[in-house]
Amino acid sequence: MKHESPIKRRKSRQIMVGNVPVGGDAPIAVQSMTNTNTCDVEATVGQIAALQEAGADIVRVSVPSMEAAEAFGQIRKRVSLPLVADIHFDYKIALRVAELGVDCLRINPGNIGRDDRVNAVISAARDGNIPIRIGVNAGSLEKSLQRKYGEPTAEALVESAMRHIDILDKHDFQDFKVSLKASEVFMTVDAYRKIASQIVQPLHLGITEAGGFRSGTVKSSIGLGMLLMDGIGDTIRVSLAADPVQEIKVGFDILKSLRLRSRGINFIACPSCSRQNFDVIQTMNDLEARLEDVNTSLDVAIIGCIVNGPGEAKVADLGLTGGTPKNLLYLDGKPNQKLDNATLTDDLERIIREKVAERQQKEESVIARSAD
């Protein structure tokens, strides 16, 4: 089931966040944010390692104080992922993390005071080839905009962003990306659509404060999906009141569903019914848990009966169709062998891992030939 995505992405200026290209024709980056105390270096490094294992491209770290800035410097030395420092108001913190090797500054230039402070931050960013992320949030709009609009609106979000962008434009600083986030889906989508036609810089997508794992996943999937279908978005973060690792997994699932990126196994599974010849739900739960470590892209269909099973199996890399007395396994669209219910999950895991190893070997051979 290998098809190119029909989505035509918005053309944007490419910037570099560490070694990760953002914008242009680069893959849409998936990022998250640590929720540890930044001054607890061990805990923060551990969480970044977990996010990297899950596939994160970029990680944002809150730096609310100069003490946290010094801790950030220690963290920077111990991790390889690009790090964004999240800073509000205090320009001195921005200057310090720039010295310590930050890969991107999340700081709004309009919120850091006098022109000399703005100049200092922009100069440090320019000298260090550090991009800036302008982050506008409906919950922290400027008071003048709150008075003007009465309440957060898409127009208010865009106007706030353009105020910050104007400051960077006046300093001829173009290496920045922008986010305009609200917890309300329609406001967020409207804001991104409006600004997408006004600037060429990359856009970082997110539905802020989306909620817990289930509700936040649904809300983010709808909001980000609407924008990604429009071709809008160069990086994404799924904001969940949950383990940040789940943000990365959901982010890749969203991109995978739109054929914008692939990582790990793409399971196609029926919801199960009385026709099923094995326990589809338990089998899927077991396989997902056992195969979390697999990063290779693979389409696997797990269908409980012969109504839709053969059709799905024929277009998957590996497919299982429930049958009596045994279930039929397809490899590369062709019937391969029959599997008994008693050892079904163990057999499937073994065969999937064999298929993954085969694909990895082929990919390595292609890379080796291209290098020659």
Side-chain angles (χ1 to χ4, degrees), residues 30 32-33 35 46-56 213 240 242-252 292:
V30 180
S32 181
M33 184 175 183
N35 60 12
Q47 190 168 77
I48 292 171
L51 290 168
Q52 184 170 21
E53 179 68 22
F213 179 68
L240 302 175
D243 184 342
V245 167
Q246 297 299 329
E247 298 184 350
I248 300 299
K249 293 179 180 180
V250 174
F252 271 105
E292 274 195 328

Side-chain angles (χ1 to χ4, degrees), residues 303 305-316 320-322 328 330 333:
I303 309 298
C305 77
I306 60 172
V307 174
N308 295 321
E312 293 288 358
K314 287 177 182 177
V315 295
L320 180 72
T321 295
L328 181 59
Y330 289 72

Side-chain angles (χ1 to χ4, degrees), residues 106 133-137 177-181 192 204-205:
R106 193 283 195 189
R133 174 184 151 196
I134 294 172
V136 176
N137 193 301
K177 55 181 178 175
V178 179
S179 65
L180 307 91
K181 297 183 180 182
Y192 276 108
H204 168 70
L205 304 187

Side-chain angles (χ1 to χ4, degrees), residues 169-197:
D169 283 344
K170 289 175 183 176
H171 289 81
D172 194 27
F173 188 89
Q174 300 301 317
D175 288 341
F176 63 89
K177 55 181 178 175
V178 179
S179 65
L180 307 91
K181 297 183 180 182
S183 59
E184 208 278 326
V185 169
F186 291 105
M187 186 193 308
T188 304
V189 170
D190 192 16
Y192 276 108
R193 285 174 173 168
K194 289 179 185 300
I195 205 166
S197 62

Side-chain angles (χ1 to χ4, degrees), residues 251-362:
F252 271 105
D253 284 343
I254 291 171
L255 295 179
K256 191 187 303 182
S257 69
L258 296 173
R259 304 182 207 153
L260 290 167
R261 280 189 76 175
S262 60
R263 176 185 170 87
I265 297 173
N266 176 37
F267 281 108
I268 300 99
C270 67
S272 79
C273 70
S274 62
R275 292 194 305 266
Q276 67 182 355
N277 290 283
F278 60 92
D279 189 337
V280 174
I281 294 174
Q282 187 61 54
T283 301
M284 277 301 309
N285 288 339
D286 291 343
L287 288 175
E288 286 187 328
R290 293 187 186 194
L291 297 167
E292 274 195 328
D293 62 303
V294 174
N295 298 327
T296 302
S297 177
L298 204 69
D299 289 329
V300 175
I302 306 295
I303 309 298
C305 77
I306 60 172
V307 174
N308 295 321
E312 293 288 358
K314 287 177 182 177
V315 295
D317 297 305
L318 184 152
L320 180 72
T321 295
T324 304
K326 292 188 177 183
N327 310 295
L328 181 59
L329 179 80
Y330 289 72
L331 284 180
D332 298 318
K334 297 178 181 179
N336 179 269
Q337 60 183 288
K338 292 187 177 182
L339 301 180
D340 189 89
N341 280 0
T343 58
L344 184 60
T345 304
D346 290 340
D347 289 339
L348 284 171
E349 181 187 5
R350 172 180 52 80
I351 296 166
I352 290 171
R353 290 192 181 278
E354 289 172 354
K355 186 67 175 173
V356 166
E358 175 190 319
R359 175 154 295 179
Q360 288 175 336
Q361 189 173 24
K362 287 182 179 178

Side-chain angles (χ1 to χ4, degrees), residues 186-223:
F186 291 105
M187 186 193 308
T188 304
V189 170
D190 192 16
Y192 276 108
R193 285 174 173 168
K194 289 179 185 300
I195 205 166
S197 62
Q198 298 183 43
I199 64 172
V200 297
Q201 277 72 21
L203 295 174
H204 168 70
L205 304 187
I207 305 296
T208 194
E209 299 145 3
F213 179 68
R214 187 184 69 183
S215 60
T217 294
V218 172
K219 191 183 292 186
S220 295
S221 298
I222 293 171

Side-chain angles (χ1 to χ4, degrees), residues 92-128:
K92 291 181 181 179
I93 298 175
L95 297 179
R96 183 58 180 147
V97 295
E99 294 174 344
L100 294 170
V102 73
D103 297 293
C104 180
L105 291 170
R106 193 283 195 189
I107 187 167
N108 292 343
N111 294 345
I112 56 178
R114 302 190 308 262
D115 287 344
D116 59 327
R117 297 178 178 180
V118 175
N119 287 335
V121 171
I122 293 175
S123 295
R126 182 179 284 113
D127 292 345

